[in-house]
Amino acid sequence: MSSNDLPENLIWATRGRSWGFRFLLDGGESDPLSEYERSFAGLEDEPTTWRRTAGKVALRFPDPLGRKDSAGRVIPHEFVVPGDLADEMQSVEDGLHLIWPLVAEAYARVWDAKGPPDLG
């Protein structure tokens, strides 16, 4: 996966049909896990969530096309959204409408791959 056409400052974690949970976009962070954990702290069990903290939004929603992994679990998409995009969001629905169109095509190319994609 090339991230050249995707927002550079977005952190995106998800899994594919046969590859496990990983960051597809790192938001330019050397350690996106730290920011991810701060943003989603206390929201681990929420299948759908939106929360603003420190100018960023933690956003989680199930795959809009209902795609599932090889174990039959619905695939979640989790984002840490900074900046202007975060400012535009007031709900999960806002996030879905703003963020999903930015990543949908890239995800369609990799979700069914045998192995995890490279961040590129």
Side-chain angles (χ1 to χ4, degrees), residues 4-87:
N4 293 339
D5 53 346
L6 299 170
E8 294 177 6
N9 57 359
L10 192 65
I11 294 174
W12 176 23
T14 190
R15 62 179 182 253
R17 181 184 290 204
S18 58
W19 43 271
F21 190 80
R22 68 183 46 248
F23 291 103
L24 296 187
L25 296 176
D26 63 10
E29 302 280 339
S30 60
D31 180 13
L33 182 60
S34 306
E35 186 60 41
Y36 169 86
E37 288 179 336
R38 265 192 304 277
S39 296
F40 283 95
L43 301 173
E44 293 83 2
D45 296 329
E46 301 292 331
T48 301
T49 192
W50 170 93
R51 179 174 69 193
R52 181 183 313 278
T53 54
K56 297 182 180 180
V57 167
L59 174 69
R60 178 185 298 133
F61 53 80
D63 186 87
L65 300 181
R67 286 176 280 214
K68 297 179 179 178
D69 66 12
S70 58
R73 299 172 293 191
V74 173
I75 295 171
H77 296 277
E78 301 179 337
F79 301 91
V80 178
V81 184
D84 293 342
L85 279 173
D87 293 342

